[in-house]
Amino acid sequence: VWRGWGMHRVRPVTSGQRTVIVAEWWLEGPRCSEEALRPEDSREAIRAALEIQDQSIVLNEVLADFHTKHEEHAEAVVSWRKVIELDASHVRAYFNLGKLLALRDDVEGALLCQTEAIRLDSSYADSHGELGGLYAMQGDLVRAEESSRAAIAL
């Protein structure tokens, strides 16, 4: 069950220490959340949440995913770059940014992104596969085959 990105009221701590317990009630029992799908985020809800916490990696990733899903490539590139700015070890951000750059015919930028994703996590098969395709586009069939084999092996 998803409540959204909206702020929730909490009484401020004015002195001392406070323990906060968050309790939620499930209409369908304790296993409800495993099957209940989260509704799709709206652009407005994501932006409103980012106004509150603009340095949140998760919120910026949600915005980047939103733009990517809706094929808003220019906005998605900016958003994935923001995620990388906030977390330079975010493998999926490099992978997704690389895919978008390839779509925009920036093969060199895409190569750099996929290479960085693999440097961060050598077992990231998707980046090996993308790298194989990028090398093939450049006519480097030896490296294309190596990368494609690495992806298949993973």
Side-chain angles (χ1 to χ4, degrees), residues 1-16:
V1 176
W2 177 249
R3 287 194 278 172
W5 294 110
M7 286 183 52
H8 301 285
R9 291 179 158 240
V10 177
R11 292 180 53 116
V13 177
T14 56
S15 66

Side-chain angles (χ1 to χ4, degrees), residues 3-97:
R3 287 194 278 172
W5 294 110
M7 286 183 52
H8 301 285
R9 291 179 158 240
V10 177
R11 292 180 53 116
V13 177
T14 56
S15 66
Q17 183 176 342
R18 176 172 293 175
T19 301
V20 177
I21 298 173
V22 177
E24 298 194 28
W25 288 264
W26 305 98
L27 297 176
E28 299 176 28
R31 298 187 59 93
C32 170
S33 64
E34 292 179 13
E35 297 164 5
L37 295 177
R38 177 178 151 186
E40 184 175 334
D41 293 311
S42 70
R43 180 186 326 274
E44 296 76 24
I46 299 167
R47 290 204 187 277
L50 278 166
E51 285 180 24
I52 297 165
Q53 196 175 5
D54 69 333
Q55 298 300 301
S56 167
I57 295 165
V58 172
L59 287 173
N60 280 285
E61 185 177 0
V62 168
L63 181 61
D65 279 330
F66 181 91
H67 289 311
T68 302
K69 180 179 179 180
H70 291 90
E71 298 184 7
E72 299 164 351
H73 297 159
E75 295 89 346
V77 166
V78 170
S79 294
W80 285 118
R81 284 190 169 137
K82 176 69 175 183
V83 172
I84 291 167
E85 175 188 319
L86 295 171
D87 179 4
S89 65
H90 199 297
V91 175
R92 194 171 77 84
Y94 283 103
F95 169 74
N96 285 321
L97 178 57

